[in-house]
Amino acid sequence: MSKRKYLIAGNWKMNESLKSAKALANEVKDISASNFDHLDILVCPPFPLLLPVLESITGSNVDLGAQDCHFNEKGAHTGDTSAVLLKDIGCKYTIVGHSERRADHAESNEIVKQKAKAAIDAGLIAVICIGETLAEKNAGKTIEVNADQVRNSMPEGANASNVVVAYEPVWAIGSGLIPETAEIQETHKAIRLEIAKVLGESEAEGMRILYGGSMKPSNAEEILALDDVDGGLVGGASLNANDFLAIAEKAK
Ligand code: PGA
């Protein structure tokens, strides 16, 4: 059982419409209303749906997060959105460095670090994603790759209240595959040790490390029961309010 407050985060990716997003947000809000005061619930819709979703969840225990931000505060960056603006419209969190962005937009650790810095400077909580590819796993490099990503993506000024780390094995995302439970704990523990090297023991002890990658109601219980797992970053299953909240129910 986690010593830290669980965070169950829904990453909606590039899904939903204006109508369906509002309906989904309302369902999440309604089902979570009485049951989940002991944990943090977060939904991360695509940019144009942030405000309509915020309208649906205002006054509830569900928080709003974005899926990405730019590292500059403003300026000539067509198509990008600043962390400052995300904070201004009501976001509490933003994801940075998701493996889909690292792959689709060639985001390096250095860029992810700058984005995380911009997020915390703007007053947001940065959810920094890390994770090994299948080739790296097969080469026995899981711990090394994740430690390297922690070291090189963690911004100056990071602490247990403004950063959450999300460990998402790239090969587990959307695939229905997950690591062995013991492997998840081993990797999370190694990630926490690396955080301790960068930020010190006490920040590492307080920092939440989420697991992500094919998390479902059927596998959430054993994953969330692991000592160093402090929640989940849920993709596919977060698009169904019942599944998403069934996962949250396993966080005890
Ligand atoms: P998944 O995605 O739950 O659909 O595997 C998780 C994520 O990429 O955040």
Side-chain angles (χ1 to χ4, degrees):
M1 194 200 139
S2 169
K3 301 183 208 76
R4 295 148 288 264
K5 190 174 187 190
Y6 281 107
L7 169 62
I8 304 294
N11 175 10
W12 294 4
K13 306 194 179 183
M14 200 172 72
N15 294 299
E16 303 302 341
S17 64
L18 178 57
K19 194 170 165 201
S20 70
K22 284 169 133 177
L24 178 55
N26 280 327
E27 274 186 86
V28 170
K29 171 183 159 171
D30 289 346
I31 312 176
S32 68
S34 53
N35 303 340
F36 298 112
D37 285 346
H38 62 292
L39 49 85
D40 291 331
I41 306 260
L42 170 66
V43 290
C44 302
F47 286 133
L49 301 178
L50 286 167
L51 277 174
V53 165
L54 180 63
E55 205 175 290
S56 299
I57 61 177
T58 294
S60 76
N61 60 344
V62 182
D63 290 320
L64 184 71
Q67 298 174 14
D68 178 46
C69 66
H70 196 272
F71 48 78
N72 282 326
E73 279 187 29
K74 59 177 181 173
H77 302 288
T78 304
D80 279 312
T81 298
S82 73
V84 173
L85 178 57
L86 294 173
K87 174 72 181 176
D88 184 42
I89 66 151
C91 286
K92 186 164 175 188
Y93 295 77
T94 185
I95 298 170
V96 292
H98 190 282
S99 62
E100 287 151 15
R101 292 207 58 88
R102 289 179 187 257
D104 295 354
H105 299 273
E107 290 188 6
S108 62
N109 284 325
E110 182 52 36
I111 289 174
V112 174
K113 182 192 202 161
Q114 289 180 35
K115 290 185 171 199
K117 174 89 172 77
I120 65 179
D121 285 351
L124 295 170
I125 300 172
V127 180
I128 302 177
C129 301
I130 59 172
E132 80 286 354
T133 62
L134 189 57
E136 288 162 342
K137 174 186 164 57
N138 289 339
K141 292 191 170 156
T142 298
I143 303 284
E144 182 188 326
V145 166
N146 284 286
D148 182 73
Q149 289 185 14
V150 167
R151 227 176 10 258
N152 295 306
S153 309
M154 192 64 77
E156 203 183 296
N159 62 43
S161 358
N162 62 21
V163 167
V164 172
V165 172
Y167 166 55
E168 301 201 303
V170 178
W171 54 273
I173 294 175
S175 64
L177 303 170
I178 57 166
E180 298 289 327
T181 313
E183 284 176 329
I184 297 177
Q185 169 55 25
E186 191 192 345
T187 307
H188 276 238
K189 193 164 183 192
I191 290 167
R192 199 175 302 285
L193 281 174
E194 194 61 32
I195 297 169
K197 285 192 205 155
V198 182
L199 301 177
E201 289 264 323
S202 104
E203 297 307 329
E205 264 311 293
M207 191 170 284
R208 294 184 287 189
I209 306 176
L210 313 184
Y211 170 80
S214 298
M215 202 181 223
K216 299 190 272 258
S218 58
N219 60 27
E221 186 157 14
E222 57 177 341
I223 297 173
L224 292 170
L226 296 168
D227 280 352
D228 285 290
V229 174
D230 309 306
L233 182 54
V234 186
S238 73
L239 300 176
N240 177 304
N242 285 314
D243 285 351
F244 182 53
L245 294 162
I247 291 172
E249 242 160 34
K250 305 288 172 18
K252 292 183 191 128

